[in-house]
């Protein structure tokens, strides 16, 4: 059972377009993180959102955490070919005295020049 | 400041064999988590080590075991390899705390033939 559902799974757009990736769950997380992964590499942390309703901006990327801390979105403005990659959301769950990350399957983004 | 380093980067093993993967955490980090990422999937949590003990474990069989050393580095061992164990194995390091941020290594690509 996938606790975090990401949509869409695949996205191919032209340079300059805007896009939004969604990350949804029925579970509450203590925080939610977004990562970007290149082929053959490990995920690289983009942002962590902690507070319900929180919005964080990273240049052309805007991240939002849902009020109930169950879902999140990533919006990219004026996408560029360098944005191409696999975007993963991960929810932090606390248990057994420590946290672990639960990942979605990812959204594979291709930005064509 | 060295980030998370993993070795080897690539490995080919035969069914039934055993494998050991290694991870050195980011400087200053004391917690190491291991993830398995099958092709086209998000990373799946295997287990987490802190103070040389396993703190949390995901839904993986006992064939998967690990160890953490006093210098915080870690090993992942897999016995009796199956074809289905072929995946990218990722190590992530963090500081033991809630809402912590995990930093990933580049991964070890394991192929079982």
């Amino acid at each position: 059972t996938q606790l975090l559902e990401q949509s869409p799974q695949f996205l191919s757009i032209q340079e300059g377009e805007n896009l939004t990736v969604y990350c949804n769950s029925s579970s509450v997380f203590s925080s939610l993180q977004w990562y970007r992964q290149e082929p053959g590499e490990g995920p690289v942390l983009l942002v962590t959102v902690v507070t319900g309703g929180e919005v964080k901006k990273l240049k052309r990327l805007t991240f939002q955490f849902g009020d109930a801390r169950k879902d999140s979105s990533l919006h990219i403005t004026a996408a560029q070919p360098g944005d191409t990659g696999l975007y993963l959301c991960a929810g932090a769950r606390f248990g057994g005295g420590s946290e672990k990350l639960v990942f979605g399957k990812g959204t594979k983004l291709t930005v064509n020049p | 400041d060295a980030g998370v380093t993993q070795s080897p980067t690539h490995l080919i093993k035969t069914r039934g064999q055993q494998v050991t993967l290694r991870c050195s955490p980011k400087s200053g980090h004391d917690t190491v988590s291991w993830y398995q990422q099958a092709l086209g999937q998000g990373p799946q949590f295997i287990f987490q080590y802190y103070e040389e003990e396993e703190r949390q474990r995901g839904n993986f069989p006992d064939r998967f075991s690990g160890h953490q050393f006093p210098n915080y580095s870690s090993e992942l061992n897999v016995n009796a390899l199956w074809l289905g164990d072929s995946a990218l194995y990722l190590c992530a390091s963090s500081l033991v705390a809630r809402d912590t941020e995990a930093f990933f290594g580049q991964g070890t690509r394991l192929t079982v033939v």
Side-chain angles (χ1 to χ4, degrees):
Chain A
T1 303
Q2 198 72 27
L3 291 179
L4 272 173
E5 298 289 339
Q6 279 190 247
S7 61
Q9 263 192 283
F10 302 94
L11 193 53
S12 181
I13 61 172
Q14 293 301 120
E15 183 175 1
E17 292 183 2
N18 301 331
L19 67 114
T20 302
V21 175
Y22 299 93
C23 178
N24 296 300
S25 175
S26 57
S27 302
V28 175
F29 296 102
S30 56
S31 66
L32 196 137
Q33 297 163 9
W34 284 92
Y35 291 83
R36 180 165 164 262
Q37 186 177 22
E38 303 276 2
E41 300 288 327
V44 175
L45 180 66
L46 297 174
V47 78
T48 298
V49 285
V50 178
T51 307
E54 183 177 4
V55 176
K56 281 191 174 179
K57 291 193 175 183
L58 187 67
K59 296 183 180 178
R60 294 176 293 100
L61 278 60
T62 302
F63 305 85
Q64 185 162 8
F65 201 12
D67 290 342
R69 288 159 54 208
K70 293 181 179 181
D71 51 77
S72 181
S73 64
L74 157 62
H75 182 79
I76 301 179
T77 304
Q80 299 175 2
D83 295 327
T84 293
L86 179 69
Y87 288 83
L88 294 158
C89 67
R93 304 196 76 182
F94 191 79
S98 66
E99 287 209 325
K100 71 173 186 182
L101 293 177
V102 176
F103 280 86
K105 286 187 177 182
T107 294
K108 189 171 183 180
L109 172 64
T110 303
V111 182
N112 302 298
Chain B
D1 174 28
V4 180
T5 58
Q6 292 186 241
S7 64
T9 55
H10 296 83
L11 201 52
I12 300 176
K13 289 286 189 178
T14 305
R15 277 178 299 174
Q17 285 188 314
Q18 177 265 344
V19 68
T20 298
L21 310 181
R22 296 177 176 82
C23 171
S24 292
K26 181 178 169 67
S27 178
H29 283 182
D30 54 13
T31 301
V32 173
S33 302
W34 287 91
Y35 292 81
Q36 180 195 66
Q37 187 176 23
L39 204 59
Q41 302 290 320
Q44 296 288 317
F45 176 77
I46 302 175
F47 42 52
Q48 183 181 85
Y49 278 85
Y50 170 69
E51 290 188 335
E52 302 178 51
E53 289 190 358
E54 184 182 290
R55 288 170 65 91
Q56 274 206 74
R57 189 177 184 90
N59 189 25
F60 279 80
D62 292 343
R63 298 186 297 110
F64 290 76
S65 63
H67 190 76
Q68 185 179 36
F69 299 94
N71 66 353
Y72 307 119
S73 67
S74 177
E75 288 181 351
L76 163 65
N77 301 292
V78 186
N79 294 322
L81 285 166
W82 296 1
L83 295 180
D85 294 331
S86 296
L88 181 68
Y89 287 85
L90 295 162
C91 168
S93 76
S94 57
L95 282 170
V96 63
R98 297 201 66 161
D99 305 320
T100 192
E101 297 176 342
F103 292 83
F104 284 82
Q106 83 281 7
T108 294
R109 171 67 64 186
L110 172 65
T111 302
V112 182
V113 297

